[in-house]
Amino acid sequence: MSSGRIQQALLAWYGDNARDLPWRRSRDPYRVWLSEVMLQQTRVETVLPYYERWLERLPTVAALAAADEETVLRLWQGLGYYRRARNLHRAARAIVEERGGRWPASAAEWRQLPGVGRYTAGAIASITRGEPAAVVDGNVKRVLARLFLIDEPVDDAATLRRLWLLAESLVPAAAPGDFNQALMELGARICRPRRPRCDLCPLRPDCRGRRAGVAESLPRRRRRRPIPHRQEVAALVVRGGRYLLGRRPPGLLGGLWEFPGGPVAEGESPPQALARALVERLGIEVDVGPRLAAVDHAYSHLKVTVALYRCRLTGGELRPAYHTAARWLRRRQLGDLPLPRVTRKLARHLAA
DNA sequence: GACGCGTGGCC
DNA sequence: TGGCCAAGCGT
């Protein structure tokens, strides 16, 4: 099969079937960059409202660079992988302050920015400047694995190299941005993970996976390791009608605010764990009272059950250690801060 | 190379 | 309920 035929068929299909997505209405590097970062590991439908809201509040890279981190995280709240927002913020400041507002001129230059890897750099450079850079994302892995009947695990390093080589050999000099988006669009809507719509596929005549009757079983992946389940505790410390919140350090949910607490260690009771965590993390001493709620939550790599206890402040002095800051807030004010999903679940159990 | 890193939808 | 997956990146 010729790559020319694949390119033609795919571009023609894309011309007729491309969705009217907001980031496709402009080649503004800021808008394309923002969309690509938001779309990392995140569905189009999830991104749409976040994208619009973000651009209303921070319409330019200069506005982003000038914003404070709390604003940035508040706009990102709920999208997950919060390091993406902090990297976007850092990169915007680098562009404005170190590059005099000059955009990267190539995929290689985009790669220098935090949060921009091989995929994102190729996507931005091909879309905004017509640079013939390839992209390999989850969609492209699936499409190519089926098209070329690649049945080694696609998360294998050797297979990944092969996929990048294939993608690079396919991307045309003429319309690389459209071609890359077409490949991903095909993966999202036709060459879907389950029940692919081969009847509608422009590449059907060339697809080795379909011909062999194994398209839906591809791509193969390596077995994932089991996800651990951890018990955690959190404290509702009340003072004068205000609740104590701590800001999380870099890492899981970095920069977001939570009811302070921590994991329950082996051989430790939940109240013991909570009293210990509050001393270690915030320098305060409490009496742990009744359990108010328990919620389950699943992260990408961890499952937790968090029990919330009412606590009474008995001593110590508020000195954030693990947490990078602490604040006392009324219930109404909780919505002003970036909160993780699990904290919102817990907050639902508070008396209004 | 293997992890750590969120959330929501689907089956 | 639980596993899988999604326009990945950084370490």
Side-chain angles (χ1 to χ4, degrees):
Chain A
M1 80 198 82
S2 82
S3 35
R5 197 165 94 184
I6 292 175
Q7 293 161 356
Q8 294 295 333
L10 198 51
L11 284 168
W13 173 82
Y14 187 64
D16 293 336
N17 293 282
R19 283 173 291 183
D20 178 26
L21 300 173
W23 45 87
R24 289 182 176 160
R25 295 178 182 173
S26 140
R27 293 193 174 189
D28 174 2
Y30 178 63
R31 294 179 173 239
V32 174
W33 171 39
L34 176 65
S35 74
E36 289 301 339
V37 173
M38 282 188 167
L39 286 164
Q40 289 168 7
Q41 299 288 283
T42 311
R43 296 173 194 286
V44 167
E45 311 79 62
T46 304
V47 166
L48 285 169
Y50 284 88
Y51 183 76
E52 303 285 8
R53 199 177 317 134
W54 181 290
L55 285 176
E56 281 172 25
R57 178 70 181 77
L58 304 172
T60 63
V61 66
L64 172 54
D68 54 73
E69 183 170 291
E70 197 115 308
T71 300
V72 169
L73 285 174
R74 184 67 185 77
L75 286 165
W76 203 269
Q77 169 185 274
L79 258 190
Y81 289 137
Y82 298 94
R83 191 175 55 175
R84 291 184 292 173
R86 307 177 82 175
N87 280 338
L88 214 42
H89 196 205
R90 281 173 51 207
R93 291 188 163 169
I95 289 166
V96 170
E97 292 163 16
E98 295 164 27
R99 300 178 51 94
R102 234 173 27 82
W103 290 106
S106 64
E109 286 189 23
W110 275 104
R111 271 282 246 158
Q112 308 299 314
L113 294 173
V116 179
R118 190 171 178 184
Y119 161 80
T120 304
I124 299 172
S126 65
I127 292 168
T128 63
R129 309 173 46 88
E131 182 178 329
V135 298
V136 173
D137 72 334
N139 290 304
V140 176
K141 286 177 186 170
R142 185 170 56 256
V143 170
L144 295 184
R146 290 172 176 173
L147 192 55
F148 296 98
L149 192 46
I150 296 171
D151 56 5
E152 293 83 28
V154 290
D155 37 17
D156 229 55
T159 311
L160 205 49
R161 273 197 298 279
R162 184 177 166 201
L163 289 167
W164 273 101
L165 288 173
L166 264 176
E168 280 161 355
S169 74
L170 285 173
V171 64
D178 283 345
F179 177 81
N180 285 337
Q181 294 188 81
L183 212 44
M184 295 189 281
E185 185 96 351
L186 187 79
R189 299 174 56 199
I190 303 292
C191 200
R192 307 180 295 191
R194 284 182 303 268
R195 298 185 299 107
R197 307 173 68 171
C198 299
D199 51 327
L200 299 178
C201 183
L203 304 184
R204 176 177 179 148
D206 292 319
C207 185
R208 293 184 54 196
R210 194 200 64 80
R211 209 174 310 145
V214 297
E216 192 165 2
S217 70
L218 297 174
R220 287 184 50 209
R221 292 178 198 286
R222 284 218 202 124
R223 171 171 256 94
R224 307 188 172 184
R225 53 180 37 228
I227 294 176
H229 189 143
R230 202 162 76 188
Q231 300 297 321
E232 296 193 341
V233 283
L236 190 70
V237 189
V238 191
R239 191 186 69 180
R242 295 169 187 266
Y243 302 125
L244 181 60
L245 280 289
R247 188 171 63 199
R248 292 184 56 86
L252 179 65
L253 307 172
L256 277 66
W257 294 77
E258 65 176 4
F259 299 121
V264 179
E266 195 69 34
E268 193 178 33
S269 76
Q272 283 172 344
L274 189 49
R276 177 180 56 77
L278 293 179
V279 169
E280 290 174 0
R281 298 186 166 189
L282 287 169
I284 59 171
E285 294 159 20
V286 299
D287 278 347
V288 179
R291 197 184 81 164
L292 302 175
V295 304
D296 291 312
H297 190 72
Y299 297 105
S300 53
H301 62 297
L302 179 70
K303 291 179 184 181
V304 295
T305 300
V306 186
L308 181 70
Y309 288 84
R310 178 174 289 279
C311 293
R312 192 171 61 84
L313 202 49
T314 59
E317 194 171 335
L318 193 55
R319 282 221 176 82
Y322 168 86
H323 289 98
T324 58
R327 294 176 69 176
W328 294 94
L329 290 176
R330 298 186 180 285
R331 191 177 191 284
R332 288 261 164 103
Q333 301 174 298
L334 294 183
D336 299 339
L337 291 182
L339 304 181
R341 186 90 183 86
V342 67
T343 301
R344 298 201 158 274
K345 287 186 195 173
L346 289 171
R348 284 205 290 267
H349 293 274
L350 305 187

